[in-house]
Structures are given as C-alpha cells and as structure tokens.
C-alpha cells in the first residue's frame, strides 16, 4: 500500500511555494508519490492572465522534473469539464484501490473545504494535508478543523510551518521584475514564460 498525495491547483504559473509544498508534505506525511494536477479551465475563460492548459502543464513538468516522487498529471485537464475534487478523488480511488490518498491544500483552501461540492466524499476518500500560508495560521487551521471539519468526518494533518510566502498572483503582477522573481520561480519556468511571452500586459 502506497501513500499518494494529490496537489491540485491552477498553477498559473507553478511557483517555488508549490514546490516547497510538495517537498514538505512528502517529508512530513511520508508520502511515496505526489500527483501534481493542474485544473482544467475552459478556453473561453482564459483571460490575458490565465494561460492555457498546455502551458500550465508544461510549466509544472519543468518545475517538477527533478523531484523523483512527483508526477504531473493531465487527468483533470483531459476530463475537460469543471473539475470537482470529490469526483477526481473517486476516479483516483478506482485507479489506486489499495493505496491511501492524501489531498494537499494551502490554508486558504483548507478554511473553505466544507463548502466544496460533496465534502463528505472528499473526507471519506482522502486525508487532508493542510499547509499554513503564514506561521500565524496554524492556530486558525487547528480551530477550523476541530470546530467544522472533524465533525464532518475529515481526517487532517496540519503541518506546523509555512512554506515560501508567494502566490501565482504575485508572480504575474511582477512578471517584469526579474530580481523579485529570482527566488520565487524555478529558472526553467521563468525561461519558459519568457520564451512563450506569457503574462505580458
Ligand atoms: P493565485 O494567486 O493565482 O490564486 P496560488 O498561488 O494560490 O494562485 P494555486 O495554483 O491556486 O496557487 O494553488 C494551488 C494550491 O497551493 C492551493 O491549495 C493553495 O492554497 C496552495 N498554495 C499556493 N501557494 C501557497 C503558499 N505559498 N503556501 C501555502 N499554500 C500555497
């Protein structure tokens, strides 16, 4: 039986905070493998700032190429509909019936999980790994788990430290500020963005 983590997101673009989430949860929750899964966004919703699925997938592949236990998956992108986490987890459980699933989220997502579609199914199929987005949020995450999610049947591992303070929004907003991005983006992702002229305003 393997312990499989799933990190879903828009990854527009993937940044070093995401990479640290992968490394940190691998280590702390002793995961054997982590599936990085960009969500599908319909072409008509792609704005200047939301680049197409293929680019987001390619950037994830570049950023994860040296993380031996990370697999980038086009599973949700291939489904082409609105991706519901409970449905993705049901399909993954069919694919990996004997393995244990862990769904990795940042603090912002953890604090709203109860309002996602069919949260009980999510909680039945996967243990949630929550990662604070700043050190202050551990107490808030613990409270939210005790008061709201645990009574709904959720199992959660709340990691105690935050990872790099960065968001994809910050990266997009500072795309021309190479110095600001140096430690926040994988060099190959940065080069890919430049070569393909992404996020230009
Ligand atoms: P955006 O700024 O475009 O909203 P984002 O940086 O939040 O993007 P997503 O692709 O939406 O990135 O995030 C995927 C997952 O990673 C989510 O669960 C989100 O909470 C989490 N996450 C992203 N960045 C961090 C971070 N620096 N620390 C902890 N969690 C993070």
């Amino acid at each position: 039986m393997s312990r499989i983590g799933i990190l879903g997101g828009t990854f527009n673009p993937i940044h070093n905070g995401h990479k640290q989430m992968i490394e940190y949860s691998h280590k702390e929750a002793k995961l054997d493998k982590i599936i990085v899964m960009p969500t599908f966004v319909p072409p008509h919703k792609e704005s200047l700032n939301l680049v197409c699925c293929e680019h987001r997938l390619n950037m994830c592949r570049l950023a994860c190429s040296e993380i031996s236990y990370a697999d980038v998956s086009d599973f949700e992108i291939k489904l082409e509909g609105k991706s519901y986490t409970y449905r993705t987890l049901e399909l993954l459980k069919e694919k990996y019936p004997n393995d244990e699933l862990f769904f990795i989220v940042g603090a912002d997502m953890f604090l709203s999980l109860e309002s996602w579609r069919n949260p009980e199914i999510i909680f039945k199929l996967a243990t949630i790994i929550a990662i604070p987005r700043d050190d202050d949020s551990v107490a808030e995450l613990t409270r939210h788990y005790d008061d709201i999610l645990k009574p709904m049947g959720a199992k959660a591992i709340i990691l105690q430290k935050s990872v790099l303070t960065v968001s994809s929004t910050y990266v997009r907003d500072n795309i021309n500020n190479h110095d600001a991005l140096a430690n926040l983006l994988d060099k190959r992702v940065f080069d890919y963005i430049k070569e393909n002229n992404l996020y230009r305003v």
Side-chain angles (χ1 to χ4, degrees):
M1 186 167 98
S2 295
R3 293 162 72 84
I4 302 178
I6 299 119
L7 176 62
T10 318
F11 302 114
N12 183 43
I14 189 166
H15 52 63
N16 286 345
H18 294 128
K19 280 181 74 173
Q20 288 188 0
M21 293 175 79
I22 295 170
E23 288 159 352
Y24 188 28
S25 48
H26 171 251
K27 182 164 168 263
E28 293 295 315
K30 301 192 170 36
L31 302 179
D32 298 295
K33 147 175 162 164
I34 297 181
I35 303 174
V36 177
M37 195 177 287
T39 49
F40 175 74
V41 178
H44 65 268
K45 281 206 171 165
E46 282 164 15
S47 64
L48 195 63
N49 269 333
L50 180 52
V51 304
C52 73
C53 297
E54 208 54 46
H55 283 317
R56 290 183 290 113
L57 208 45
N58 287 340
M59 291 188 281
C60 287
R61 289 188 175 124
L62 288 170
C64 295
S65 58
E66 277 156 15
I67 308 177
S68 58
Y69 49 83
D71 272 354
V72 177
S73 165
D74 59 4
F75 189 79
E76 283 194 352
I77 283 177
K78 281 234 173 91
L79 287 178
E80 285 208 344
K82 182 158 173 41
S83 320
Y84 286 108
T85 296
Y86 85 89
R87 190 62 198 136
T88 300
L89 290 175
E90 283 179 339
L91 294 171
L92 285 175
K93 195 66 200 172
E94 278 171 25
K95 193 167 170 197
Y96 303 104
N98 300 319
D99 296 323
E100 201 175 345
L101 302 182
F102 294 80
F103 185 60
I104 305 165
V105 290
D108 49 326
M109 297 292 166
F110 188 74
L111 294 173
S112 69
L113 271 182
E114 70 280 6
S115 58
W116 290 22
R117 179 74 63 98
N118 292 334
E120 287 87 357
I121 298 182
I122 298 178
F123 301 150
K124 195 170 84 181
L125 294 175
T127 299
I128 312 298
I129 298 179
I131 305 190
R133 283 193 94 145
D134 54 63
D135 287 326
D136 292 340
S137 62
V138 175
E140 196 184 352
L141 295 180
T142 306
R143 206 167 37 243
H144 191 73
Y145 177 53
D146 288 342
D147 294 351
I148 313 270
L149 301 182
K150 206 171 172 184
M152 293 174 78
K155 298 177 288 319
I157 301 172
I158 298 172
L159 301 189
Q160 296 299 301
K161 283 194 235 133
S162 55
V163 293
L164 195 67
T165 306
V166 55
S167 66
S168 299
T169 305
Y170 180 86
V171 172
R172 295 192 302 273
D173 289 349
N174 290 277
I175 205 67
N176 293 314
N177 184 348
H178 296 190
D179 290 344
L181 295 186
N183 295 319
L184 304 181
L185 272 191
D186 185 290
K187 166 94 171 66
R188 288 160 295 198
V189 172
F190 184 65
D191 291 343
Y192 185 93
I193 290 173
K194 269 199 304 194
E195 275 156 30
N196 291 280
N197 212 25
L198 307 181
Y199 308 116
R200 298 281 168 201
V201 274

